[in-house]
Amino acid sequence: MTLLLEELRHNKLLWLLVFVPVVFAAETLAPEAHTLLFVLSVLAIVPLAALLSHATESVAAKTGDAVGGLLNATLGNLTELVIALAALRAGQYVLVKASLAGAIVTNTLFMLGGSLLLGGLKYHVQEYNRISARMQAGMLFLATVALLVPSAVSQADSVAGAAFTQRLSVGLSVLLIIAYALGMLFSLKTHPELFAGAESGEAGEAPWPMNLALATLAGVTVLVALVSEVFVESVQEAAEAFGMSPAFVGFIVVSLVGAAAEMASAFSGARKNRLDLSVGVALGSASQIALFVAPVLVLVSYLIGPTPMDLQFWPGAIVMMFIATMSASLVTNSGRSAWFVGVLLLMVYAIFAMTLYLLPPGVA
Amino acid sequence: MTLLLEELRHNKLLWLLVFVPVVFAAETLAPEAHTLLFVLSVLAIVPLAALLSHATESVAAKTGDAVGGLLNATLGNLTELVIALAALRAGQYVLVKASLAGAIVTNTLFMLGGSLLLGGLKYHVQEYNRISARMQAGMLFLATVALLVPSAVSQADSVAGAAFTQRLSVGLSVLLIIAYALGMLFSLKTHPELFAGAESGEAGEAPWPMNLALATLAGVTVLVALVSEVFVESVQEAAEAFGMSPAFVGFIVVSLVGAAAEMASAFSGARKNRLDLSVGVALGSASQIALFVAPVLVLVSYLIGPTPMDLQFWPGAIVMMFIATMSASLVTNSGRSAWFVGVLLLMVYAIFAMTLYLLPPGVA
Amino acid sequence: MTLLLEELRHNKLLWLLVFVPVVFAAETLAPEAHTLLFVLSVLAIVPLAALLSHATESVAAKTGDAVGGLLNATLGNLTELVIALAALRAGQYVLVKASLAGAIVTNTLFMLGGSLLLGGLKYHVQEYNRISARMQAGMLFLATVALLVPSAVSQADSVAGAAFTQRLSVGLSVLLIIAYALGMLFSLKTHPELFAGAESGEAGEAPWPMNLALATLAGVTVLVALVSEVFVESVQEAAEAFGMSPAFVGFIVVSLVGAAAEMASAFSGARKNRLDLSVGVALGSASQIALFVAPVLVLVSYLIGPTPMDLQFWPGAIVMMFIATMSASLVTNSGRSAWFVGVLLLMVYAIFAMTLYLLPPGVA
């Protein structure tokens, strides 16, 4: 408890935890105030995501390298997963898919671009381990390709029916999870030295004792799940009130909220000239979404969704995912960076955000 | 005046200046001889573009590094800009867009490919500064991506209407100009050393005195504008007479005419084993079109065009721009070149040209 | 003859030659047993392809570097060419095109991925000549782009008619063959040192004497042609019996059969830590299909096909070819490999194969 309080003092972000009870109170008192509920649930999710991230790392630090790495890799996108599950249960498949595609785009363009810009404003030229960055960019490229092939192929051939898409989605989900498992075997067991730079994690923050970490992990996951439900219920109508298209909300707003905790550590890594950490978090998180979160959601949709979900994305989302991963590949290719490289990535992100914001409803 | 005459003696290209009065005479005497006017205006624009380019460099050389670089970067594609403005005033948006996309493709495939081939025929293997080439290829890639995202997204979703496209085009134009300004800040102020090789410009030709340079700049710009009007008026009907599709004229003919002056310096750089110069001119010019000329035309269309112009390109143009920039990225990645690399780029250009030439009218 | 027998003892694959007479017998006795004929013809083509490959190399080894290299480069995909010619004569253009696209995808993903995986299971990290790999990946990229541009452009613009596609296909075929000839000039004459690693070929196996090699070359080509006819006639109906879509058969089954011999040498090279050989065979073979086999088939279709064939591919095939070559470019960029890189390439291949397998008939 003292540790938690100390954490509260150090980490200003956690003061936002006060919004957790507020959001539940508001939901009971004013269940129709969608815009208010939306804002409150965003404010409540951000500190919960930070707690979740710290708890995961603490458990990982205690359990030793292999299991710890496994935990970190699997629970790293727990917030995104829980939000997506809440949307899945509500049958909001458009939102789920937009948030998956958006998370990939946000991680590779906004998180990476922001890191390179923030780092570049402090250091003239920054260097990082290009071998590990290349490996991760390549993994991300191929992961995203895997995710978008079925959409591209069946898009091109409108003859292919829903049954085809559904069967293909299940098969691909199994393949992607196998690839993900092999990827962990590769990065944790057989070739950990290639990922050395990125693994060192958020050093500096002392890990919590095991009991506290496990209790936090369990408790906070439940809280995120509860708040996510409020978030998912209110997001659609709040978006209308703000004049945002649903595509913009799923792609940009949900993704930024879900990735807030990782973003904080990627940005602070860049400011400390530890770009390996930033690149690792940004690209690793994006490929985890493509290789693990997306296929798990497809399989889980058979258990908890009203109808099964498939992996077919809206064509604009495919274009954006493809461009985002291509940009990341090109940018990380050299192992060197200066501030303008970050600006270029952020510009592409801004262009996507603007396009989505202006998109008339009913398109995505 | 003596300097101008000396220039005339040295630079055989300038003898074509005789066609400037000829084109005006022909326009008065035979305003319906479209094919003749087209040929004459092409012959007149080429030496004017060369003069414009030399005058810009002379002013740039006199005004010191920062302002000079700024001038060079902004006025480098003055010919293209003036031709496009003439087409804009005539409401020929299809021609404007084809010439923008064509300029990007021509610079990255024909100018770069030609330089690598000509250099490679003289030197067995040529090396150049891969860091600067990569930086420029990356900038070009991201610039082109920015240009084609709205087309790709709204292409994919035909639901999105004209109002959406128009608002998006204005917003993107502002974003692109900001990116362009930041890019100049980067290459001229904060990180000029990364662009060292390319900046050294057309050394060897003595700069003109300031007065002459400024007068030439002003006078020749007016002449280019006048000749461009004849060119734009005659191009459509001349194309039909030659059996060329409008897409071929805009993409290939207009782009080659507009880039003639830069091409001369890129090719001569390659023959002197100064590939940094050639790569810098080719890729720099292409990204200037994407980041500066295109958005300026969109914004200016609100002032001088019959109706506003948007940034939505014909799908085939998007495919070509994307492939052209991808090819440039791949080719310049290694910092080494031999003649066959140039052949490959030229082959892709020839394939594009052939496709456009055979395309039935009414498509692009 | 003794040499042939000795070869038989060494190379277990050649025992499959027993299926050559069996397939002819079966065709006479049971011409309607399509499934049986299909299986038998596959089993017969594999050892014939291996013999053809060995004979080509033997002739190449005897005729000196330039002519030998020329022979090797031209006859390397003789099996694919003969199979495609048989399909062409039968007017099965869908099968021809699927097998061309499939050969490019299979060589770049399955052959390269399998080599990297098999090599990586034996060696922790493998290095290879990145300059030559890059050169080949770049050539492949541009070759494939050349092949897919017309499809992409005319796909995007459905207005363009069949006459346009046909004229364009002939023009492009001529361009591609010129590019191929220049590429041989480059790799054999002017810059052979860049391809040093890959050229060393299947050393270790003693070449045959000239007479034997030439006789084998001639005789086996005839046999392959005869067996291919049985294969092409039976493949469609056998596919239905197995529940495979025609796209899957053309893309996956025919490609794997046609490339069996090269695959054997690429895989064995990787196991001997000679990745230069594997990368050279995989990418070289793929670009040969794009630059030589495909255009030759278009031109030959005017002589032997019922109607001319064009170069327009089904959109899903374009997406797959493009992704395959992009993946190869990214992966070979670093000149280093570990087992997981191979897994990723194989995963993309598995995703393609699964998509094609599930595709309802009538799409591709």
Side-chain angles (χ1 to χ4, degrees), chain B residues 107-122:
Chain B
N107 285 339
T108 46
L109 293 179
F110 186 80
M111 201 190 287
L112 183 59
S115 300
L116 298 185
L117 175 59
L118 288 175
L121 289 178
K122 199 159 168 189

Side-chain angles (χ1 to χ4, degrees), chain A residues 109 120 123-125 130 134 314-316 319-320 322-323 326-327 330-331 333-341 343-345 347-348 350-352 354-356 358-364, chain B residues 130-131 134-135 137-139 141-143 145-150 152-153 156-157 159-161 164 167-168 171-172 175-176 178-179 182-183 185-186 190-191 193-194 291 322 326 329 333:
Chain A
L109 294 178
Y123 303 92
H124 189 70
V125 170
R130 56 191 271 185
R134 251 183 201 166
W314 156 68
V319 171
M320 291 186 189
F322 187 71
I323 288 177
M326 284 295 314
S327 306
L330 281 175
V331 155
N333 200 15
S334 69
R336 293 160 58 94
S337 170
W339 66 268
F340 191 62
V341 178
V343 167
L344 283 171
L345 289 176
M347 276 290 165
V348 176
I351 285 163
F352 288 173
M354 184 182 272
T355 307
L356 291 167
L358 293 174
L359 215 57
V363 173
Chain B
R130 56 192 272 185
I131 292 170
R134 251 183 202 166
M135 196 66 95
M139 217 184 283
F141 176 77
L142 294 165
V145 156
L147 208 60
L148 56 82
V149 164
V153 170
D157 308 281
V159 193
F164 159 70
R167 277 196 296 163
L168 181 59
L172 287 175
L175 271 184
L176 288 172
I178 294 173
L182 289 173
L185 182 67
F186 180 67
T190 73
H191 291 67
E193 79 283 2
L194 289 181
L291 285 171
F322 187 71
M326 283 295 316
S329 293
N333 201 14

